[in-house]
Amino acid sequence: MASNDGGQAKPYRVLALDGGGIRGYYTTRLLELLLAGIGANPAGVDFGRLFDLIVGTSTGSLIGAALAAGVPLPRVSALYRERGPVIFPRPAPIGRWNLLWCAAHWRRASADATALRDALERLLGGMTLAELYAQRGVALCVTVTDLGAARSRVFATPHGAADRDCADLRLVDVCMASSAAPMLLPPIRLPRRGGDDTLCCDGGLWATSPVGTAIGEALAVAAVERPVEILSIGTCAMRVPSTALGGSSGTGIGLWIRGLRALQVAGDAQATAAVDFARQLVLHLRRPVRLVRLRDPEATDSEATIVRLDNARPAAFEAMEALARRGASLNRAGAVEADSDQVWLHALLHEAAASCAESAEPASYR
């Protein structure tokens, strides 16, 4: 836990969602299980309504956009489970066939961008960033990488900060850009401020965990008297299996190329560093900021072998389900041993359930 709590004003609440490819399924299931653990029905909870601002990277942008638009968590989980195998039909192998996989995808990405776009169209429709903010009042920021300029970029709803010139962009296009991980999905062409269109790709190249963007945006938007509360959720970092570290691949290209290991390790390590830095930063801010990062379980060697950025096979979903269940247990508030972060999270979940029960209208979504 990191905070410098104080003040009585209503908190400005932020949800920050990490990238991680198909591992976004873990994120959605973790939230569903936490809600179910307090007796709530996740299908009836408008979780996005809890937050003033949602910030997402890559697969986190997809989840974040859906929650901001009022899509129930189970429907987002179903997208991963049902459409994941179609979007990622050819996951990178970790055995001897990896070099052939690389050769086969030398000129084209391995994932099916059309399948992803179709899935997002069904989930989000044609809603733009401006329409999202006008209809729901939830601000959204999505991290992307401007490939042409080799620079970071943040697309956002017109809520007063970040990129003000992208309000007419469709959520689908923004999510496609943020999710365009190298080798997996092709870059997408989007407008660039003051210039021609540019190719945009995975925001995870610079912000696998967008917690820094979340803090900066919240401080820029929220009134000084309002405390800031940030819930940061990862996609469960995957260790490098001990068999790989001591195996025949050695320490050359063979160690890193298998199953896109370099991309996954870099992303997970970057997310950890971003959260650690954010925890130190909020301790020195001159206003009350609470940062809560959900705890992830430690993956076993067998889980880390099969849970990869692009593996949407049944065994991978079974492993992510097991990890999500262990993660839910780690984050539940116990009767005696709960720390302040768990107590805060417990109260947040109950608020979500209560607001749903009090509402006469069901969660709206396209």
Side-chain angles (χ1 to χ4, degrees):
M1 182 271 287
S3 69
N4 53 0
D5 295 334
Q8 300 298 317
K10 180 182 177 182
Y12 185 87
R13 211 173 268 158
V14 185
L15 176 64
L17 298 163
D18 287 13
I22 199 67
R23 285 160 39 190
Y25 177 76
Y26 163 87
T27 305
T28 59
R29 287 295 296 144
L30 175 60
L31 288 173
E32 283 186 73
L33 290 166
L34 286 170
L35 285 166
I38 63 163
N41 177 9
V45 174
D46 188 351
F47 195 73
R49 281 283 192 195
L50 289 176
F51 301 93
D52 299 284
L53 168 68
I54 299 177
V55 185
T57 289
S58 195
T59 199
S61 73
L62 185 160
I63 300 169
L67 294 179
V71 179
L73 277 162
R75 192 173 173 206
V76 188
S77 295
L79 181 146
Y80 284 97
R81 191 96 196 212
E82 296 169 6
R83 306 307 299 168
V86 181
I87 296 167
F88 295 109
R90 299 172 293 276
I94 58 174
R96 66 183 65 183
W97 301 108
N98 191 264
L99 289 177
L100 290 177
W101 180 89
C102 292
H105 299 99
W106 187 258
R107 291 183 177 275
R108 62 186 176 93
S110 66
D112 190 333
T114 300
L116 175 59
R117 180 175 288 280
D118 288 345
L120 291 177
E121 295 277 5
R122 295 177 190 177
L123 196 72
L124 303 170
M127 184 182 290
T128 66
L129 288 164
E131 289 169 345
L132 170 68
Y133 191 60
Q135 294 176 24
R136 294 273 295 170
V138 179
L140 176 70
C141 287
V142 172
T143 67
V144 299
T145 299
D146 184 331
L147 190 57
R151 297 187 64 175
S152 62
R153 209 171 164 193
V154 178
F155 290 120
T157 51
H159 58 268
D163 192 333
R164 297 170 183 263
D165 301 324
C166 55
D168 292 334
L169 289 178
R170 297 166 70 236
L171 294 180
V172 169
D173 293 329
V174 170
C175 290
M176 288 290 296
S178 185
S179 302
M183 296 176 281
L184 298 183
L185 286 160
I188 181 172
R189 193 168 294 280
L190 291 175
R192 180 172 57 188
R193 187 192 301 113
D196 298 330
D197 292 354
T198 187
L199 285 175
C200 293
C201 63
D202 192 4
L205 290 177
W206 63 275
T208 301
S209 175
V211 65
T213 299
I215 292 174
E217 192 75 3
L219 295 179
V221 174
V224 176
E225 65 273 11
R226 293 184 71 181
V228 174
E229 297 179 346
I230 301 172
L231 176 61
S232 172
I233 309 178
T235 56
C236 197
M238 290 294 116
R239 62 194 294 173
V240 177
S242 56
T243 52
L245 293 175
S248 59
S249 59
T251 58
I253 293 175
L255 172 65
W256 295 105
I257 201 171
R258 298 188 172 203
L260 304 177
R261 184 170 290 143
L263 190 62
Q264 181 161 286
V265 170
D268 288 342
Q270 183 195 117
T272 301
V275 173
D276 287 345
F277 176 79
R279 282 176 171 147
Q280 292 300 314
L281 175 65
V282 300
L283 294 174
H284 300 282
L285 295 174
R286 295 180 179 274
R287 59 186 295 180
V289 176
R290 171 184 283 272
L291 170 61
V292 175
R293 173 76 169 185
L294 290 194
R295 302 171 184 177
D296 292 327
E298 184 174 344
T300 64
D301 270 8
S302 61
E303 289 169 336
T305 298
I306 197 164
V307 177
R308 305 190 301 277
L309 299 175
D310 62 339
N311 190 3
R313 290 172 176 152
F317 282 110
E318 291 173 11
M320 286 187 283
E321 181 71 24
L323 287 164
R325 291 185 179 279
R326 299 208 303 272
S329 295
L330 283 174
N331 290 283
R332 285 195 184 108
V336 177
E337 72 280 5
D339 63 21
S340 60
D341 282 357
Q342 289 174 308
V343 171
W344 177 88
L345 177 64
H346 191 68
L348 182 75
L349 295 171
H350 275 283
E351 182 180 334
S355 62
C356 178
E358 293 170 1
S359 175
E361 298 291 333
S364 61
Y365 58 91
R366 289 178 173 256

